[in-house]
Amino acid sequence: MANKNSTLTHLLFVLLVAVTAFSVACGASDDDERNNADEDAALVSQSGHFEAHLSPTPASPVTGENTLHIHLMDPEGNDLTGASLAVEPWMPAHGHGSPEEPVVEEGSDGMYTVSNLVYSMPGHWEVRIDITHDDTSDRIVAEFDVQ
Ligand SMILES: [Cu+2]
């Protein structure tokens, strides 16, 4: 009997830890969304390998053609040069992307310019940025409310 009780207690504890961990993860993603609205905050990639400052042009993205300037860094804030970026605009509510293929060009000092970034309609869009540097790949997801 004591054994069963302690097993049950253990299970409840595991469950509680799992629920707590899930809440913390949700909290972190809320923080990310807040960060996305703040142009000065660095976005962190999903596995923590890269960070980026994003600067859209126009500053409030619009339906049609936009440009996105990305300052890519390692977690210590050093410029990350020589990375390859694949950029995909995505509208989660409708499950569709962009009719156009974004073009990525690397500048100096860890700056990358994404042109031909086309949002086909107003609303909430993700910009999924898949980054590969040396043998490390990771994804940054930025979110924009497109006018
Ligand atoms: Cu849509």
Side-chain angles (χ1 to χ4, degrees):
M1 207 58 174
N3 241 350
K4 268 187 186 164
N5 276 342
S6 91
T7 303
L8 188 63
T9 305
H10 181 71
L11 270 175
L12 284 172
F13 177 74
V14 168
L15 198 64
L16 188 66
V17 168
V19 166
T20 306
F22 183 71
S23 309
V24 168
C26 286
S29 109
D30 283 351
D31 283 343
D32 284 346
E33 278 178 21
R34 276 199 292 276
N35 284 346
N36 286 353
D38 179 354
E39 286 164 38
D40 294 333
L43 297 185
V44 180
S45 60
Q46 290 173 341
S47 299
H49 296 297
F50 309 118
E51 294 189 4
H53 284 120
L54 303 190
S55 163
T57 306
S60 290
V62 293
T63 304
E65 194 171 339
N66 294 256
T67 301
L68 185 61
H69 302 280
I70 301 173
H71 180 208
L72 195 59
M73 294 162 286
D74 66 17
E76 284 75 46
N78 303 303
D79 297 340
L80 203 77
T81 60
S84 71
L85 276 61
V87 177
E88 184 188 28
W90 188 252
M91 197 172 198
H94 301 163
H96 66 77
S98 171
E100 295 287 330
E101 187 81 22
V103 176
V104 182
E105 274 182 287
E106 182 174 1
S108 55
D109 304 325
M111 291 299 303
Y112 299 77
T113 300
V114 183
S115 55
N116 202 38
L117 186 63
V118 174
Y119 305 109
S120 53
M121 60 189 293
H124 181 80
W125 285 76
E126 293 179 357
V127 175
R128 301 170 172 180
I129 307 164
D130 287 307
I131 303 155
T132 301
H133 184 260
D134 294 336
D135 291 331
T136 305
S137 293
D138 205 349
R139 170 180 278 194
I140 289 176
V141 178
E143 304 189 38
F144 295 104
D145 286 314
V146 174
Q147 303 300 306

